[in-house]
Amino acid sequence: YKIGWCAPFLNLPANLPSAVNKVWRFSYNQQTQNFKISCNGVLLVDTTLSDEVCTEESSWRTAWELDVTMIMFPPSLDTASEQFSTGELAGCDGLPAFWNKINTVTTFPVAKGTVLTITCDTGYLLSGSNEVTCEKDTSFTYDTEPNMYITKVTH
């Protein structure tokens, strides 16, 4: 990978996820100058841009104060990418924590708009929608909010 206006080409760490389909996330915080790359939820690069990191371009600060308008995947180096989306289309990385007895067979992360079928743990009954649509992070839309109820109480 290469952080433009900053550093030369660097190798990604060896701990890439083994899944065939990979969802990459690139983020940059202008306030902290922190740059991150993750793949299928695994953080691979977490660096703060500085004079020590950005050795290729002395005016790196000027370039990185601008809004990022492009991420480039040169065809000669990238033969696998099928699509690219910006942050608001990035998708979901898991079910909400408060749905602690609700499951899906879907592997995260998923793209915005992906419809998931959900079920409950054994001993619980799902009420409401059994299909939810990914919006962002752990936010989903549905016709009726999914809830679960204990089906049998034993003493």
Side-chain angles (χ1 to χ4, degrees):
Y1 70 98
K2 178 174 175 48
I3 302 173
W5 293 92
C6 178
F9 275 95
L10 301 169
N11 290 322
L12 287 169
N15 63 333
L16 283 175
S18 60
V20 172
N21 293 323
K22 293 179 173 59
V23 177
W24 295 85
R25 290 191 179 198
F26 303 85
S27 65
Y28 178 67
N29 182 314
Q30 285 183 323
Q31 305 282 357
T32 63
Q33 297 175 330
N34 184 255
F35 180 82
K36 294 181 182 181
I37 301 173
S38 63
C39 180
N40 291 5
V42 176
L43 184 63
L44 300 172
V45 175
D46 185 356
T47 190
T48 300
L49 303 188
S50 66
D51 290 332
E52 292 76 31
V53 172
C54 297
T55 57
E56 276 212 336
E57 185 66 49
S58 61
S59 61
W60 70 268
R61 235 179 256 281
T62 304
W64 282 92
E65 285 174 353
L66 302 171
D67 289 336
V68 176
T69 58
M70 176 178 64
I71 297 177
M72 190 170 88
F73 301 95
S76 62
L77 300 174
D78 177 12
T79 59
S81 295
E82 293 179 7
Q83 67 182 27
F84 169 77
S85 63
T86 59
E88 71 180 45
L89 301 174
C92 299
D93 51 16
L95 294 173
F98 59 89
W99 287 359
N100 61 346
K101 301 293 182 191
I102 295 179
N103 305 298
T104 182
V105 296
T106 303
T107 302
F108 289 98
V110 297
K112 180 178 180 177
T114 300
V115 176
L116 287 71
T117 300
I118 57 174
T119 59
C120 284
D121 286 354
T122 302
Y124 291 83
L125 178 65
L126 180 66
S127 115
S129 297
N130 71 334
E131 289 188 341
V132 296
T133 304
C134 164
E135 288 300 315
K136 184 177 181 186
D137 300 325
T138 58
S139 296
F140 292 83
T141 57
Y142 35 78
D143 292 330
T144 307
E145 183 172 8
N147 283 297
M148 63 268 167
Y149 298 95
I150 297 175
T151 57
K152 183 177 179 184
V153 177
T154 58
H155 295 282

